[in-house]
Amino acid sequence: MEKLIEVKNVYKTYKEGSIANHALNGISLDVYKGEIVVILGSSGSGKTTLLNVVSGLDKISKGKIFYEGKEISNYRDSKMTRFRKDHLGFIFQTYNLLEHLNVYENVLVGASLGKEKKDVSPIIDTVGLKAHTKKYMHELSGGEQQRVSIARALAKKPQIMFCDEPTGALDEVTGKTVLEALVSVNEKLGTTLLIITHNPGIAEIGDRIIHMNSGKIIKDEKNEKRVPPKDIQWG
């Protein structure tokens, strides 16, 4: 597979007086186009920090990060903002949807950030919300709202989606529905997914599972057979 992201010996260090705390401690990682990478770890393991620096939401203290062979870790803020807008999509626990807009209109906001303005109906269909296109946010469940946020992020056609605990606020049934939408996005559109979670069951949907602890990758594991979200063990 073709390499999309290279993380080379990256550190993220916070200073407290004379004490240096390494939130990331010499991380090296490759992400390939079209794969689902799940980063697994407990609170404080460094997984969110890793997502933030790889996606350009935060700056590294040391090391290098490359995207399709070009170093992005030295980008100034304005260039990094443009890079995120043109190439990356984000899914968080909080949906950040616009309450006064319906599903179609919320997704259209995402499309307006992309280079091509197209009908977003096929994307809404991909995440299983075709029947809810004209509904407003107060008419949707939490899982449906999360799928709207996925569709909105997809609407600008990102090469990779960064998913920060996308099911963290959801129950098992709803969470699995959201994961099914993400897997569908990967299978139908070829979108690379980087998912961080503390839930070991979710790791089963990935092509690779990255285990983190104390700011380090302790295991990079290839998953020989992805498990459908409906069949994973929850929690």
Side-chain angles (χ1 to χ4, degrees):
M1 290 193 294
E2 188 176 352
K3 198 176 291 185
L4 181 63
I5 293 172
E6 296 175 76
V7 179
K8 295 189 174 182
N9 199 31
V10 161
Y11 289 78
K12 179 63 180 180
T13 305
Y14 298 96
K15 292 283 186 70
E16 295 181 14
S18 60
I19 300 174
N21 176 33
H22 299 299
L24 297 178
N25 194 355
I27 294 285
S28 293
L29 172 69
D30 294 332
V31 177
Y32 296 88
K33 289 183 178 180
E35 69 174 347
I36 298 177
V37 178
V38 179
I39 299 178
L40 184 64
S42 60
S43 177
S45 63
K47 60 187 187 298
T48 297
T49 304
L50 179 59
L51 180 145
N52 288 343
V53 299
V54 172
S55 64
L57 292 174
D58 198 1
K59 293 184 179 294
I60 61 176
S61 302
K62 181 182 175 182
K64 294 182 178 181
I65 299 174
F66 296 85
Y67 186 92
E68 293 189 317
K70 295 180 181 179
E71 186 177 356
I72 64 169
S73 44
N74 59 3
Y75 281 3
R76 62 187 184 276
D77 289 346
S78 58
K79 189 173 183 179
M80 181 58 78
T81 298
R82 172 62 63 177
F83 169 77
R84 288 197 302 268
K85 178 177 177 290
D86 289 345
H87 299 282
L88 313 182
F90 294 88
I91 303 296
F92 301 102
Q93 278 191 54
T94 52
Y95 316 131
N96 299 316
L97 300 169
L98 299 174
E99 295 290 334
H100 65 286
L101 300 180
N102 62 30
V103 170
Y104 187 91
E105 292 164 340
N106 263 284
V107 178
L108 207 58
V109 169
S112 70
L113 299 175
K115 296 178 180 179
E116 300 178 26
K117 309 299 186 288
K118 290 188 174 181
D119 177 26
V120 297
S121 297
I123 294 170
I124 293 171
D125 192 24
T126 297
V127 299
L129 291 176
K130 184 176 181 179
H132 303 291
T133 299
K134 298 301 180 183
K135 288 185 178 179
Y136 289 85
M137 300 308 101
H138 70 274
E139 300 177 279
L140 302 177
S141 68
E144 288 164 347
Q145 289 185 48
Q146 184 64 297
R147 282 185 279 158
V148 175
S149 72
I150 293 170
R152 182 185 57 187
L154 279 172
K156 65 174 183 175
K157 293 190 171 180
Q159 287 181 287
I160 181 169
M161 293 260 284
F162 292 93
C163 308
D164 185 358
E165 297 278 8
T167 63
L170 303 173
D171 60 65
E172 178 177 349
V173 173
T174 307
K176 286 183 176 181
T177 301
V178 168
L179 292 177
E180 285 171 355
L182 286 171
V183 171
S184 176
V185 163
N186 172 260
E187 293 176 345
K188 293 180 180 179
L189 305 179
T191 308
T192 306
L193 301 179
L194 193 151
I195 303 170
I196 69 168
T197 183
H198 65 277
N199 184 341
I202 291 176
E204 299 177 76
I205 74 169
D207 298 294
R208 282 167 59 220
I209 306 164
I210 308 298
H211 300 262
M212 290 192 68
N213 189 36
S214 300
K216 295 183 178 181
I217 291 176
I218 56 174
K219 189 177 183 181
D220 185 341
E221 176 184 7
K222 183 176 176 60
N223 188 14
E224 297 296 339
K225 186 176 181 181
R226 290 185 354 190
V227 177
K230 63 181 179 64
D231 295 331
I232 67 172
Q233 297 294 316
W234 194 260

